[in-house]
Amino acid sequence: MANRLLRRARDFAEVRAGGVITARAADEALALLEVDELGLDRLDRELLGAICERFAGGPVGLSTLAVAVGEEPDTVEDVYEPYLLQRGLLKRTPRGRAATPAAFAHLGLRAPPDAPSLF
């Protein structure tokens, strides 16, 4: 994923920044790619949004979540979940995936009073 983003930033810099990847060029490239300040892309935010809004913060099963965002369960589990777990935005529970208060905050949503926490 990082290599893909680096290639896109390099391409952007080649066309719009005189071939030099500066902080500004990288920020503009990431904005065009819809990557936010935490490194989340559109589908990361869509996954979190589905859990937070459609499933009231969870827990929600992997298959149900995958259908909600139009992805394969293996892709959600292997590609998107690890980073969301690492950033503390998602939690795996015995009953399914749940959004943390940090996920609600990042999306600008109000967490329900009983939202699961990491602790």
Side-chain angles (χ1 to χ4, degrees):
M1 185 73 103
N3 286 334
R4 180 183 68 82
L5 292 174
L6 179 60
R7 282 192 299 275
R8 298 295 73 83
R10 180 200 61 208
D11 294 345
F12 179 88
E14 187 69 35
V15 173
R16 296 194 182 170
V20 178
I21 300 177
T22 62
R24 181 174 179 208
D27 286 344
E28 289 176 14
L30 292 173
L32 281 175
L33 295 168
E34 299 180 52
V35 176
D36 67 20
E37 65 279 356
L38 287 184
L40 304 183
D41 66 11
R42 182 193 55 79
L43 189 60
D44 292 321
R45 289 187 302 276
E46 195 174 321
L47 279 166
L48 290 177
I51 295 170
C52 293
E53 295 175 314
R54 293 187 213 164
F55 301 106
V60 59
L62 176 61
S63 297
T64 303
L65 180 58
V67 168
V69 296
E71 273 294 340
E72 290 294 321
D74 288 343
T75 303
V76 171
E77 187 172 40
D78 297 337
V79 176
Y80 296 100
E81 259 188 9
Y83 188 67
L84 296 174
L85 289 164
Q86 182 184 36
R87 295 297 302 197
L89 300 169
L90 187 66
K91 179 180 175 184
R92 280 187 184 173
T93 72
R95 295 177 45 217
R97 278 65 178 165
T100 65
F104 283 91
H106 183 69
L107 296 175
L109 302 172
R110 177 182 232 161
D114 61 341
S117 75
L118 288 176
F119 305 103

